[in-house]
């Protein structure tokens, strides 16, 4: 409890005054301090009440302003904007995942096609079939080449035989000419003959043996 010092009508300061909570000049003043006036206390209580009410009103007003500000914010007006960024990031991640999966599938399909191509290229049955086709084409080319060479040689042979036939003595003999052999050699000049030489006369349809009896040399 608070201690009130009230020695009364003393001008000096006592030790009790120093240790007391409140010092009163007289006991009456001490009694007044210990028992305040009711009307004054009621006024103080009303003032405290008004101050408390005002403080509460101010706090309520502040809270109302904060609440209005929160209610009018774009977050509550458009709550979907809270997760729009996350949704966009999620869509981006999904698109990247799908694209990566497509790229992986494409690479695997490409590698599979390459392996199938290599396997088909190295397949023995296919290689044998290809070699047979190549051999058949080569044989056909050789046949055509040989046929061309044969036809060309045949044509040249026919021309040569025709030329030889034109130069053949038999062709000349068909026109009434003949030739003479002496000792197996053709007599081209009368100077090669001597009287009593045995010669062979060849005609178009046969030959005859003869002996030279007389030689006549024509002068130019």
């Amino acid at each position: 409890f608070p201690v009130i010092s009230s020695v009364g009508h003393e001008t000096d300061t006592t030790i009790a005054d120093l240790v007391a909570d409140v010092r009163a000049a007289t006991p009456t003043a001490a009694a007044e301090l210990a028992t305040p006036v009711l009307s004054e206390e009621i006024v103080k209580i009303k003032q405290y009440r008004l101050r408390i009410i005002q403080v509460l009103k101010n706090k309520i007003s502040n809270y109302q302003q904060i609440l209005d500000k929160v209610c009018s914010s774009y977050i509550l007006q458009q709550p979907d904007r809270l997760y729009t960024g996350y949704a966009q990031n999620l869509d981006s991640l999904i698109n990247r995942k799908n694209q990566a999966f497509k790229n992986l599938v494409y690479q695997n399909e490409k590698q599979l096609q390459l392996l199938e191509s290599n396997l088909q290229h190295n397949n023995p049955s296919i290689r044998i079939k290809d070699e047979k086709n190549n051999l058949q084409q080569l044989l056909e080319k050789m046949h055509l080449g040989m046929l061309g060479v044969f036809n060309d040689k045949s044509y040249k042979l026919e021309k040569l035989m025709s030329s030889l036939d034109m130069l053949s003595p038999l062709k000349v003999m068909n026109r009434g000419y003949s030739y003479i052999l002496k000792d197996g050699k053709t007599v081209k000049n009368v100077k090669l003959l001597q009287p009593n030489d045995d010669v062979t006369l060849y005609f178009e349809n046969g030959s005859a043996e003869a002996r030279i009896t007389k030689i006549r040399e024509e002068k130019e």
Side-chain angles (χ1 to χ4, degrees):
F1 297 98
V3 177
I4 300 174
S5 173
S6 176
V7 177
H9 304 288
E10 294 292 337
T11 58
D12 297 332
T13 301
T14 64
I15 295 175
D17 293 335
L18 297 177
V19 299
D21 295 315
V22 179
R23 179 179 180 276
T26 63
T28 302
E32 291 178 355
L33 291 174
T35 57
V37 180
L38 179 60
S39 60
E40 293 179 355
E41 295 300 322
I42 292 174
V43 171
K44 290 181 180 180
I45 291 172
K46 289 182 179 180
Q47 291 177 350
Y48 290 150
R49 180 175 177 275
L50 292 175
R51 290 175 61 185
I52 291 172
I53 292 173
Q54 187 63 39
V55 170
L56 291 175
K57 285 183 178 180
N58 292 336
K59 288 188 176 182
I60 292 173
S61 178
N62 291 333
Y63 290 145
Q64 185 65 43
Q65 291 178 0
I66 294 173
L67 180 60
D68 293 340
K69 185 176 180 180
V70 171
C71 291
S72 62
S73 65
Y74 75 93
I75 295 177
L76 294 181
Q77 295 294 329
Q78 298 177 350
D80 55 338
R81 298 183 63 179
L82 285 172
Y83 55 85
T84 300
Y86 297 103
Q88 291 177 352
N89 292 335
L90 180 60
D91 292 339
S92 177
L93 290 175
I94 292 174
N95 292 332
R96 289 171 59 186
K97 178 184 69 65
N98 292 335
Q99 187 63 36
F101 180 74
K102 290 180 180 179
N103 292 336
L104 180 62
V105 172
Y106 174 76
Q107 293 295 333
N108 290 335
E109 289 180 350
K110 189 175 181 181
Q111 187 174 6
L112 180 60
Q113 291 176 358
L114 181 61
L115 292 175
E116 289 178 350
S117 177
N118 292 334
L119 180 61
Q120 185 176 6
H121 180 71
N122 295 324
N123 192 342
S125 60
I126 296 178
R127 294 191 64 181
I128 291 173
K129 184 178 180 180
D130 292 339
E131 293 298 331
K132 285 184 177 180
N133 292 333
N134 294 334
L135 180 60
Q136 184 65 30
Q137 293 178 0
L138 182 60
L139 291 175
E140 291 178 357
K141 289 181 180 179
M142 290 178 61
H143 177 71
L144 293 176
M146 293 177 64
L147 183 61
V149 172
F150 177 76
N151 291 334
D152 182 64
K153 295 298 183 181
S154 298
Y155 175 74
K156 290 181 179 180
L157 180 60
E158 289 178 358
K159 288 185 65 177
L160 181 60
M161 291 179 65
S162 177
S163 299
L164 291 175
D165 187 58
M166 293 297 296
L167 298 175
S168 175
L170 296 177
K171 286 288 185 180
V172 179
M173 294 169 67
N174 285 335
R175 297 196 295 269
Y177 293 92
S178 62
Y179 65 94
I180 302 172
L181 293 182
K182 174 186 175 183
D183 299 330
K185 296 180 180 180
T186 302
V187 178
K188 297 180 179 180
N189 196 324
V190 72
K191 293 180 179 181
L192 298 176
L193 296 175
Q194 297 293 331
N196 297 321
D197 285 342
D198 293 327
V199 296
T200 303
L201 303 176
Y202 286 91
F203 302 93
E204 185 270 334
N205 59 350
S207 62
E209 300 293 333
R211 178 171 292 178
I212 302 301
T213 59
K214 187 177 181 179
I215 298 174
R216 288 192 299 272
E217 183 178 354
E218 294 183 358
K219 296 182 180 180
E220 297 180 358

